[in-house]
Amino acid sequence: AAEKAATIKIVDYRMIGAPFNLKYDSTDNPLNATKGVKLLASLTPWYSLDAAKKSFFETRIAGSTYLALDADANYVLAGRLAFGSILGAALRDIPANHRFYSGGGASVRGYRYQSLGPTLTNGNVIGGSSLLEASLEARIKVTNNIGIVPFVDAGSAFASSYPDFKDKVHYAAGLGLRYYTAIGPIRLDVAFPLNRRKGDKPVAMYFGIGQAF
């Protein structure tokens, strides 16, 4: 029997963008904050040079806050919230590299990198027009050099321009180990996806320098 050859459709975009960025940081340590607030906002209008394709407006905002519960900062609560939205174009008209994706060590731990969001019928993730993520950590020092960090993460990308929760939100929980050095903590996180899909592993591990956020 004859086999049909697979075809790949290539779409070219010609666009001009002018990003506007805002950064605020009142934390006491960039790698191991125990107090203060961090905020990073990016607003970018993208103008299409092709009349057949639409222009759009891209917004990305991420913020985190830190609260020490004692004078020596042995007990610290840390929270992170991220939001993204693209206005002016349908999802199919947005270039893939501008769409929102979730999952991985810097967003929702426990799931594969950029594996959360709208999908095709074959399960391939295509990205979304909006994003919502949240994380909460309790950073507890056991000794001067060793700490543990129980955490929970939640989030996903959505097909609509604002999170409407028609696409499933995914959750994860885990426990981290920190070894504190003069240049910052060495981080090991073990995360468990709480609403696994087919193909998701039951546990994921992440290693890095500095706190997760």
Side-chain angles (χ1 to χ4, degrees):
E3 295 182 359
K4 293 183 178 180
T7 59
I8 299 176
K9 183 179 180 181
I10 298 176
V11 181
D12 292 326
Y13 293 88
R14 294 182 299 159
M15 312 192 78
I16 295 177
F20 298 91
N21 297 314
L22 173 66
K23 183 178 181 180
Y24 173 80
D25 190 343
S26 65
T27 59
D28 55 343
N29 187 321
L31 293 178
N32 184 34
T34 62
K35 62 181 180 180
V37 173
K38 286 194 291 188
L39 177 66
L40 180 62
S42 175
L43 310 174
T44 308
W46 290 98
Y47 177 75
S48 176
L49 301 177
D50 187 342
K53 297 181 178 65
K54 293 185 178 181
S55 303
F56 57 87
F57 188 84
E58 180 180 348
T59 303
R60 297 173 182 261
I61 302 173
S64 54
T65 185
Y66 311 87
L67 175 64
L69 302 181
D70 65 308
D72 295 325
N74 290 322
Y75 303 91
V76 177
L77 292 179
R80 169 185 171 270
L81 187 65
F83 169 81
S85 177
I86 296 176
L87 300 173
L91 179 59
R92 63 180 179 274
D93 297 321
I94 301 171
N97 62 315
H98 286 276
R99 297 175 187 174
F100 294 103
Y101 304 84
S102 188
S107 58
V108 184
R109 287 163 282 189
Y111 298 90
R112 299 185 309 278
Y113 177 65
Q114 294 190 344
S115 67
L116 304 181
T119 60
L120 298 174
T121 54
N122 62 6
N124 290 338
V125 181
I126 60 173
S129 296
S130 61
L131 173 80
L132 185 63
E133 294 175 344
S135 297
L136 182 64
E137 293 189 347
R139 301 173 180 174
I140 304 167
K141 272 193 172 182
V142 180
T143 70
N144 286 336
N145 298 109
I146 302 294
I148 59 173
V149 181
F151 61 86
V152 292
D153 295 337
S156 188
F158 305 87
S160 58
S161 295
Y162 293 100
D164 58 6
F165 301 101
K166 291 182 179 179
D167 296 284
K168 181 181 291 186
V169 177
H170 291 269
Y171 304 89
L175 183 66
L177 178 66
R178 303 290 184 269
Y179 180 75
Y180 294 94
T181 71
I183 61 171
I186 298 174
R187 170 170 51 95
L188 174 65
D189 287 336
V190 180
F192 304 89
L194 299 182
N195 44 349
R196 289 171 56 196
R197 308 155 301 172
K198 183 179 180 180
D200 287 331
K201 295 183 178 180
V203 62
M205 298 181 65
Y206 304 90
F207 180 81
I209 298 177
Q211 299 285 6
F213 57 87

